[in-house]
Amino acid sequence: MPNEAVSTQVSGTEPAIQPLSRRERVREATLVEIKDIARRHLVEHGPGGVSLRAIARDMGMTAPGLYRYFSSLDDLLLSLSADFFTELSMAVRTANDALPERDVDGRLLSSLRAFRTWALANRAEFTLLFGPSHPHRSCQHESVAIEAGRHFAATFLTLFDELLQQHRVSLPPEDDISPELSRQLRAFAEHAGFTTENASDGALRVLVGCWVRLYGLVCMEVFQHMEFAMDTMEALFEAELSDILSSAGVEYRSPR
Amino acid sequence: MPNEAVSTQVSGTEPAIQPLSRRERVREATLVEIKDIARRHLVEHGPGGVSLRAIARDMGMTAPGLYRYFSSLDDLLLSLSADFFTELSMAVRTANDALPERDVDGRLLSSLRAFRTWALANRAEFTLLFGPSHPHRSCQHESVAIEAGRHFAATFLTLFDELLQQHRVSLPPEDDISPELSRQLRAFAEHAGFTTENASDGALRVLVGCWVRLYGLVCMEVFQHMEFAMDTMEALFEAELSDILSSAGVEYRSPR
DNA sequence: TAATTTCAGTAAACGGCGTAAGCTTACGCC
DNA sequence: GGCGTAAGCTTACGCCGTTTACTGAAATTA
């Protein structure tokens, strides 16, 4: 039994070393080729414009062959989603790491801008991640993508957590938060894996408020619902960014 | 030439009286039947789950026959979009008209809640209107839908205008608005047909800010990106609504 | 080395799709 | 009664996802 593989890997993170058999190496290569081509089609024709047959044709093979790699078209798109989430996470983290650690404000600004930048440079991919969810395949365990999504969320959550560590966030008055809202905020925190001591209801309220605003802003731009009037929404984004962050006690600085 | 039709109609708004020939009546009936069934499919299978063949099958006819009514599937969906925009406009207007005219705050609150309510009761329809735009058919003159969309926007714009008439909106400091942003805000106002004297840069800034937040909030709920943590986002919506409107000088009141 | 298992990829087929071209048939008008 | 218009049909083309049964080569075992 030479070239034993995958038997004692650490977890899903990294395959420890690389005792990949030849079979497994070529399989891995085919897998990434499929995903590369699928992404190209996604970018060129949007979600819904991705088809197994066209992908297979581009690779010089037949569609049923792809079923050795993905159990369905949906499965392929889910796998792509996972990739995109980690790519987006990396983009944000990179922007974050470009600034000195103690400059929390700068890192936050930079991270949020990186989110928008990635979204605009990868509209179709963003749509897949943050656009309308499929009607039938509900949010239920689409393991890969959901896990990557959680990981992406953590990127922002830790950043926000750092902000909380420093006193500065001005929290909304306690009685502004209804019991109902409080319950839902705590449920959110739990499911998102945000269980710090610092996470008071007020802090969660601010966090979610910021996220919703950022999300709306970027969606509007990516989905092009202002296209008829604005060529780019950069200026509006910066203005809103300033507002959003000031609600979290962060001092705005213009980019560059 | 009895039963003369459509010769002297006022415009696209209403066919004046109803000198519709029998032919035209039955055609009209078929047309609404197609759209009714299409909407059912849209609701049941989402956009992308609407197919001419399935619609035709449900009506007991064949797909090519539908081309007598719509020049393509896309054309049908566009026509549906237009209908949905006017339906949504009506829902908002109805909520607005339920309160006394001088209660601007109340009418605004009621209108924004009606927007969310309609969106949640008509997820698929909302997605068609406000979800990702098709990649290839850019926003270019999709006449019917674009016109209905403009009409919908006007619903909110007039409401906001009333708010401006009364001094109360506290405008952001002038120098908070970059020249770039100013230019884009004015472009937006012009394209949206919002040309009141009251529309200072500051006012436009507040208006667009409110709209973006409302949009993001409702998108997040309709697209179910918080589903994993929150069953309903009602509480969060009310909390954000309070924030949003306070930025426009409107006093929040809880519903009912 | 020979036998055997595993598995990537194929061909054929089923049912579904949007759409174009050409034909039939009935309604509405003179 | 005759005729034009247009609604709806048939047929056809080329896409699509997915299933089934198969081939043949590589990897494993003996």
Side-chain angles (χ1 to χ4, degrees):
Chain A
M1 198 190 273
N3 261 338
E4 160 120 342
V6 197
S7 57
T8 53
Q9 64 184 20
V10 182
S11 90
T13 58
E14 284 203 33
I17 312 142
Q18 296 267 8
L20 286 180
S21 71
R22 161 170 177 75
R23 258 263 245 265
E24 283 160 330
R25 274 196 327 264
V26 56
R27 186 175 219 283
E28 202 60 31
T30 312
L31 211 122
V32 314
E33 188 188 355
I34 295 172
K35 295 210 272 193
D36 281 355
I37 297 183
R39 182 172 188 169
R40 233 187 44 221
H41 289 195
L42 176 70
V43 168
E44 283 169 11
H45 311 113
V50 183
S51 88
L52 293 179
R53 291 189 116 112
I55 294 168
R57 211 180 301 123
D58 272 21
M59 309 177 49
M61 61 183 278
T62 59
L66 296 180
Y67 282 77
R68 294 278 166 190
Y69 299 87
F70 297 97
S71 67
S72 69
L73 174 60
D74 234 51
D75 189 38
L76 167 57
L77 291 174
L78 234 43
S79 173
L80 283 181
S81 294
D83 291 356
F84 298 155
F85 265 127
T86 79
E87 183 179 309
L88 172 56
S89 298
M90 298 242 297
V92 170
R93 226 181 282 272
T94 300
N96 178 75
D97 294 349
L99 276 75
E101 184 168 355
R102 70 198 151 117
D103 183 8
V104 180
D105 288 20
R107 287 192 287 132
L108 206 44
L109 271 161
S110 168
S111 296
L112 300 196
R113 286 190 183 115
F115 177 71
R116 167 172 179 267
T117 303
W118 189 90
L120 290 181
N122 303 274
R123 289 175 193 268
E125 294 88 335
F126 176 87
T127 301
L128 203 59
L129 298 186
F130 297 102
S133 54
H134 273 227
H136 285 311
R137 175 244 287 165
S138 76
C139 126
Q140 286 319 68
H141 314 93
E142 308 137 7
S143 41
V144 259
I146 227 80
E147 185 50 40
R150 221 184 289 278
H151 184 263
F152 162 74
T155 304
F156 277 145
L157 290 178
T158 51
L159 204 47
F160 187 74
D161 194 41
E162 290 185 60
L163 202 63
L164 289 178
Q165 304 282 359
Q166 313 181 353
H167 53 79
R168 311 195 332 255
V169 184
S170 71
L171 302 179
E174 276 289 316
D175 54 359
D176 248 34
I177 296 173
S178 69
E180 171 74 4
L181 178 55
S182 167
R183 203 176 325 124
Q184 308 233 317
L185 287 173
R186 308 222 73 88
F188 164 78
E190 186 186 348
H191 283 105
F194 192 63
T195 48
T196 322
E197 296 297 318
N198 305 319
S200 66
D201 283 4
L204 290 172
R205 171 73 187 82
V206 171
L207 169 62
V208 172
C210 288
W211 170 242
V212 167
R213 285 179 77 172
L214 181 68
Y215 170 81
L217 202 47
V218 175
C219 275
M220 181 147 291
E221 194 166 7
V222 170
F223 299 164
Q224 307 191 157
H225 288 303
M226 290 282 192
E227 193 202 29
F228 72 101
M230 298 183 178
D231 42 348
T232 168
M233 286 178 55
E234 165 117 35
L236 181 61
F237 177 81
E238 287 298 326
E240 281 285 307
L241 189 59
S242 168
D243 277 16
I244 292 172
L245 286 184
S246 82
S247 82
V250 171
E251 174 198 17
Y252 176 80
R253 289 175 234 157
S254 76
R256 205 69 15 245
Chain B
M1 198 189 273
N3 260 338
E4 161 118 340
V6 198
S7 56
T8 53
Q9 63 183 20
V10 182
S11 92
T13 58
E14 283 203 34
I17 314 144
Q18 296 269 4
L20 285 181
S21 73
R22 163 172 175 75
R23 250 271 247 256
E24 283 160 330
R25 276 198 324 267
V26 56
R27 186 175 219 283
E28 202 60 31
T30 312
L31 210 123
V32 313
E33 187 187 354
I34 295 172
K35 295 210 272 193
D36 281 355
I37 297 183
R39 182 172 187 169
R40 234 188 44 222
H41 289 197
L42 175 69
V43 168
E44 283 168 12
H45 312 113
V50 183
S51 89
L52 292 178
R53 291 191 118 111
I55 293 169
R57 211 181 301 123
D58 273 21
M59 310 178 49
M61 60 184 279
T62 61
L66 296 180
Y67 281 77
R68 295 281 167 186
Y69 299 88
F70 297 97
S71 67
S72 69
L73 175 59
D74 235 49
D75 188 37
L76 168 56
L77 291 174
L78 234 44
S79 171
L80 284 180
S81 294
D83 291 356
F84 298 155
F85 265 127
T86 78
E87 183 179 308
L88 172 55
S89 297
M90 298 243 297
V92 170
R93 226 181 280 274
T94 300
N96 178 75
D97 293 349
L99 275 75
E101 185 169 354
R102 69 197 153 118
D103 183 9
V104 180
D105 288 20
R107 287 191 286 131
L108 206 45
L109 271 161
S110 169
S111 296
L112 300 196
R113 286 192 182 113
F115 177 72
R116 168 174 178 265
T117 303
W118 188 89
L120 291 180
N122 303 275
R123 287 175 194 269
E125 293 88 337
F126 176 88
T127 300
L128 204 59
L129 298 185
F130 297 101
S133 55
H134 275 227
H136 285 309
R137 176 242 288 163
S138 76
C139 129
Q140 286 320 67
H141 313 95
E142 308 136 7
S143 41
V144 258
I146 227 80
E147 184 48 41
R150 219 183 289 278
H151 185 264
F152 162 74
T155 305
F156 277 145
L157 290 179
T158 52
L159 205 47
F160 186 73
D161 194 40
E162 290 184 57
L163 202 62
L164 289 178
Q165 303 284 359
Q166 314 181 353
H167 53 78
R168 312 195 333 253
V169 183
S170 69
L171 302 179
E174 278 289 317
D175 55 357
D176 248 34
I177 296 174
S178 69
E180 171 75 4
L181 179 56
S182 168
R183 204 175 325 122
Q184 308 235 315
L185 287 174
R186 309 221 72 88
F188 165 79
E190 186 187 347
H191 283 106
F194 192 62
T195 48
T196 321
E197 296 297 317
N198 306 317
S200 66
D201 283 5
L204 289 173
R205 171 74 187 83
V206 170
L207 169 63
V208 172
C210 287
W211 170 242
V212 167
R213 285 179 77 171
L214 181 68
Y215 171 81
L217 202 47
V218 174
C219 273
M220 180 148 290
E221 193 166 8
V222 170
F223 300 164
Q224 306 190 154
H225 288 305
M226 289 284 193
E227 194 203 28
F228 73 100
M230 298 180 176
D231 41 349
T232 168
M233 285 178 56
E234 164 117 36
L236 181 61
F237 177 81
E238 287 298 326
E240 280 286 306
L241 189 59
S242 168
D243 277 16
I244 292 172
L245 286 184
S246 84
S247 83
V250 171
E251 173 199 16
Y252 177 80
R253 290 175 233 155
S254 77
R256 209 61 16 245

